[in-house]
Amino acid sequence: MVFLGLAVLTGVFAYVASATGTGIDAVDITVSSTGGNATNGHQYGFLHEDINNSGDGGLYAELIRNRAFQSNEGFPSTLDAWYPINDAKLSLKNLSTPLSNALTASMNVAAGEKDGEIGFYNDGYWGMDVKASNKYTGSFWVRGAYSGQFTASLRSNITGEAFGTAKIQSQSCSDDWIEHEFELTPSKDAPNSNNTFALTFDVAGTDDGALDFNLISLFPPTYKGRKNGMRIDIAEALEQIHPTLFRIPGGNMLEGWTNTSWWDWKNTLGPLKDRPGFYGVWEYPQTNGLGLVEYLEFAEDLGMEIVLGVYSGLALNGDITPEDQLQYFIDDALDQIEFVRGPSDSKWGSVRAQLGHPEPWKLEYVEVGNEDWLAGAPEGWDTYKQYRFPMFLDAINKAYPDIQVISSGSTYNGYDIPSPGAGDYHLYAVPDTLVEEFNRFDNITTPHIIGEMAAIQPNGGGGWDLPQMPFPWWGGAVAESVSLIGYERNQDRIIGAAFAPIIRNMNRWQWEITMIQFTADSVTRSTSWYVWELMAAHIMTETLPATSQFNPLYYVAGRNENTDGYIFKAAVYNSTEGADVPVRLTFEGIKPGTTGELTILVGPEDPYGFNDPFTGVNVVKTIKKTIEADEEGGFQFALPNLSVAVLDTGLSAPLQRNRAVEWRG
Ligand code: AHR
């Protein structure tokens, strides 16, 4: 197929059936008021894992890179990101008394040839955003006798200018690690993000001209003020897509490279000094700072349901845990579930309570592994079906009958998923394939989550050996909406759909297509962001049967019992000659004069157009209009080719709600 040009926008709201001159007959849709299916009410969300520096250096707000000189199977400790000030000599030490069992390496800072203030600076994750309106919260641990003050500052990496400084009185001593905390409020904004954090001390105040440092940390204000929390601008861009499903902690990251390097949730709990860091799988080390509790708090703050991935005994290198050793991981998963939702007097619930969360979190979805059909195939997938998934399913549902256990593969991976399990279907595809998805789940009775999806390549360019598009693009976003509409039509069995992966640091990435791109001081909402935002802003609690054919108009209709509103979501993908598609939409029982808010998203003339993080250009246009049902109770409008639209009658004035009550009466 080829993308066709966008039809002229004039007349978007003018419905004159085929008399529009488009040559396309009106699509006449009647939506029944009965006979639909209840939905689970949470249909949209995302997968987060630390890929693309989306955790460390991304959503996780820590500004200091390599803050604790952590090491793991793949990455030994280094002094990356640390630089000396005033001739200081920086060296890595593994002291006989480390800061903790988890953080065994530290940085020794010794005087060189020069006296006076010596120290070090850190250039962060490709810079640091410095704002006078922000109060930065910092801490560091020191070992070694020093009487005097430390000076912490945020500085330009270009001119050395300090934008803000804090003096911290030393409490340090020769034979113990002492934590120092401080706050730093810059007196002016930095002109750009090429900034550093510096810490200095006066050599004259030390016993022997050197001090040891570890876990040097600096946070800007965080989302909802959470300690060890999330970066505000990224969190807000995520909040604004109204997510209700949050799949954590990945993806491939959950699996790890080997059967000893999976994402071990226990390593992510408690004080930062007790978190060893993690190999990850995305070519950079991870701090474990963004841990299970941080994920759960973020889910709570955004009102998201968790889909918790538990390690299933298969690693990315194909290592498979034999049946007689699997119990270890099943017990680990049960511990993890107990940590999240067990009573505060249970073994792991009490650990949660000690960490400040006596109340259990809600957890209804647990996914066993990630893409077990892929690594180590075919044995990996065979063992998953033979014993791994059945053993997890049985154990989890014995302990927690209400939990929906999800297999990491779908019916389409050739798995007749044992009841009461659900499946996970992943779809990274070209637009035409996403559109062909529309009917995929119409006849599947096993519940599924769409745990990862995105348009990643242009039509004709599919395949993992071929590059992804540089950014989400308009035609791809429209195609995603067609899949999403298809999933919503089956919302009694489709748990929800998650965009993946969700964010990308523009300074280092492994995966181009993400819904949001960011740098140290910018956030870009992609074309997909706009489409998913619109779709998720109008949640149906019930889908309703409707009469008509699909293609090029794809749609779903339903109702939201909380707003008393009728909802219609639609996308037009490749109409004949790119013409507008006239629509006449009647909800059974609706009264003439009822108003609905129609929102239409249209893209640029070039369907490959994208929202460019470098120029800030947004190619998505949002058109809103209140329309009224005609004398027969029908809404009439036309939708341009390659557009996405929602009509919602539940958003208007109280009068509208009264009308809704009347219809029912
Ligand atoms: O979303 C990026 C990766 O794609 C995930 O980690 C993995 O599950 C999938 O293959």
Side-chain angles (χ1 to χ4, degrees):
M1 90 87 219
V2 280
F3 285 118
L4 299 166
L6 189 66
V8 184
L9 286 186
T10 50
V12 160
F13 303 107
Y15 164 83
V16 205
S18 54
T20 52
T22 64
I24 294 188
D25 285 341
V27 183
D28 214 329
I29 302 166
T30 302
V31 182
S32 308
S33 58
T34 56
N37 290 315
T39 76
N40 59 38
H42 46 76
Q43 293 127 359
Y44 293 95
F46 54 88
L47 164 79
H48 187 273
E49 67 181 304
D50 205 338
I51 177 176
N52 294 338
N53 272 98
S54 65
D56 288 324
L59 180 60
Y60 182 53
E62 174 66 84
L63 292 172
I64 307 295
R65 180 158 59 97
N66 191 21
R67 67 183 174 190
F69 319 101
Q70 289 159 307
S71 65
N72 55 56
E73 293 97 319
F75 298 96
S77 299
T78 68
L79 286 176
D80 284 355
W82 297 100
Y83 306 90
I85 292 176
N86 199 21
D87 210 22
K89 298 203 174 332
L90 310 185
S91 57
L92 270 182
K93 299 268 182 209
N94 284 292
L95 299 178
S96 53
T97 317
L99 173 56
S100 65
N101 290 337
L103 302 183
T104 53
S106 49
M107 179 168 67
N108 183 267
V109 183
E113 300 301 311
K114 297 187 183 159
D115 290 335
E117 286 282 313
I118 66 163
F120 49 82
Y121 68 91
N122 183 290
D123 59 0
Y125 292 96
W126 303 279
M128 299 178 189
D129 188 29
V130 176
K131 292 259 173 350
S133 50
N134 284 351
K135 186 167 76 185
Y136 295 78
T137 310
S139 58
F140 55 92
W141 293 77
V142 191
R143 188 179 164 99
Y146 172 53
S147 57
Q149 288 187 323
F150 295 98
T151 304
S153 54
L154 282 164
R155 307 175 174 195
S156 164
N157 202 16
I158 303 167
T159 64
E161 178 185 4
F163 303 111
T165 295
K167 296 279 184 191
I168 306 121
Q169 187 58 45
S170 169
Q171 312 290 330
S172 72
C173 61
S174 60
D175 56 359
D176 206 359
W177 283 99
I178 305 292
E179 186 177 22
H180 293 70
E181 294 179 331
F182 63 93
E183 285 175 354
L184 195 164
T185 306
S187 52
K188 62 190 282 198
D189 291 351
N192 55 53
S193 62
N194 193 356
N195 304 307
T196 66
F197 170 74
L199 192 66
T200 60
F201 56 95
D202 184 356
V203 178
T206 63
D207 275 4
D208 56 5
L211 294 172
D212 294 297
F213 290 84
N214 207 345
L215 193 48
I216 304 136
S217 169
L218 187 71
F219 277 80
T222 57
Y223 183 70
K224 305 244 171 179
R226 293 273 191 193
K227 197 171 158 51
N228 198 42
M230 308 300 175
R231 195 174 126 174
I232 292 175
D233 54 354
I234 298 178
E236 285 179 349
L238 292 171
E239 178 191 23
Q240 289 159 9
I241 52 170
H242 326 287
T244 42
L245 271 186
F246 189 30
R247 184 166 170 252
I248 53 163
N252 292 150
M253 205 183 79
L254 168 69
E255 297 166 86
W257 283 122
T258 70
N259 253 352
T260 56
S261 63
W262 75 100
W263 191 83
D264 188 343
W265 61 280
K266 294 192 184 91
N267 287 340
T268 75
L269 304 180
L272 296 183
K273 74 177 179 48
D274 297 328
R275 305 190 193 189
F278 174 51
Y279 188 176
V281 297
W282 296 109
E283 298 157 30
Y284 55 91
Q286 292 163 23
T287 63
N288 280 151
L290 177 48
L292 182 56
V293 167
E294 288 74 23
Y295 272 133
L296 292 164
E297 287 175 341
F298 190 53
E300 185 179 322
D301 288 344
L302 266 65
M304 301 184 287
E305 288 264 344
I306 290 280
V307 179
L308 181 68
V310 296
Y311 184 64
S312 67
L314 173 74
L316 281 180
N317 69 353
D319 279 355
I320 300 161
T321 308
E323 188 168 352
D324 61 359
Q325 291 168 32
L326 194 65
Q327 195 57 41
Y328 174 85
F329 292 117
I330 294 172
D331 292 343
D332 192 63
L334 291 171
D335 289 348
Q336 189 174 3
I337 296 167
E338 186 176 274
F339 177 85
V340 178
R341 56 168 272 184
S344 61
D345 57 359
S346 61
K347 180 178 167 210
W348 282 100
S350 70
V351 176
R352 182 194 66 234
Q354 280 159 28
L355 294 175
H357 292 276
E359 287 304 316
W361 277 288
K362 187 176 174 196
L363 175 63
E364 290 180 350
Y365 301 106
V366 172
E367 180 161 354
V368 179
N370 177 66
E371 293 183 343
D372 284 77
W373 43 270
L374 190 55
E379 292 83 4
W381 189 221
D382 288 345
T383 59
Y384 191 81
K385 293 188 278 189
Q386 282 155 11
Y387 64 86
R388 289 190 294 120
F389 184 69
M391 284 171 75
F392 273 93
L393 176 67
D394 185 52
I396 295 172
N397 274 162
K398 256 193 194 118
Y400 303 95
D402 63 310
I403 285 185
Q404 173 67 71
V405 181
I406 303 172
S407 142
S408 73
S410 73
T411 301
Y412 292 103
N413 296 113
Y415 191 15
D416 187 10
I417 300 164
S419 181
D424 183 354
Y425 178 70
H426 291 183
L427 185 66
Y428 296 110
V430 303
D432 280 357
T433 304
L434 283 149
V435 171
E436 283 155 18
E437 280 299 294
F438 184 67
N439 296 322
R440 179 165 291 282
F441 287 97
D442 285 4
N443 299 310
I444 297 282
T445 49
T446 305
H448 277 75
I449 181 173
I450 317 303
E452 298 180 22
M453 67 171 283
I456 60 167
Q457 291 166 324
N459 287 328
W464 286 111
D465 296 337
L466 296 170
Q468 297 187 5
M469 289 285 277
F471 299 103
W473 70 107
W474 180 245
V478 175
E480 284 164 13
S481 78
V482 176
S483 304
L484 292 173
I485 289 168
Y487 303 145
E488 273 209 52
R489 291 175 60 238
N490 293 294
Q491 258 286 303
D492 51 327
R493 286 154 289 118
I494 298 299
I495 296 162
F499 195 101
I502 190 70
I503 55 177
R504 159 183 169 195
N505 191 317
M506 288 300 297
N507 291 287
R508 178 165 62 201
W509 68 87
Q510 292 80 20
W511 194 287
E512 282 83 357
I513 295 291
T514 57
M515 193 185 275
I516 292 166
Q517 295 81 35
F518 64 92
T519 64
D521 62 352
S522 73
V523 168
T524 305
R525 291 156 176 77
S526 70
T527 49
S528 292
W529 185 95
Y530 285 89
V531 165
W532 285 63
E533 188 280 331
L534 178 63
M535 302 287 286
H538 304 268
I539 291 293
M540 298 178 189
T541 53
E542 183 188 7
T543 54
L544 292 170
T547 58
S548 198
Q549 77 283 12
F550 303 108
N551 184 5
L553 180 80
Y554 298 86
Y555 66 87
V556 58
R559 179 157 52 200
N560 182 312
E561 66 190 3
N562 304 311
T563 64
D564 275 336
Y566 284 84
I567 298 170
F568 172 78
K569 300 184 184 180
V572 179
Y573 184 82
N574 278 358
S575 60
T576 309
E577 292 178 11
D580 292 1
V581 176
V583 179
R584 184 169 202 285
L585 171 69
T586 310
F587 293 102
E588 243 175 43
I590 211 161
K591 294 241 163 115
T594 300
T595 56
E597 187 180 84
L598 178 65
T599 308
I600 306 178
L601 301 181
V602 293
E605 205 162 319
D606 173 8
Y608 294 100
F610 55 83
N611 288 352
D612 189 336
F614 299 107
T615 61
V617 168
N618 175 13
V619 298
V620 184
K621 283 197 194 66
T622 303
I623 302 162
K624 277 188 191 289
K625 175 137 180 162
T626 301
I627 57 174
E628 218 174 78
D630 60 23
E631 52 295 344
E632 280 137 24
F635 293 100
Q636 304 187 27
F637 50 92
L639 298 178
N641 185 32
L642 291 184
S643 67
V644 180
V646 172
L647 176 76
D648 192 335
T649 69
L651 300 175
S652 6
L655 176 63
Q656 176 62 44
R657 299 171 87 85
N658 294 340
R659 283 201 184 115
V661 172
E662 267 174 45
W663 307 330
R664 288 198 187 152

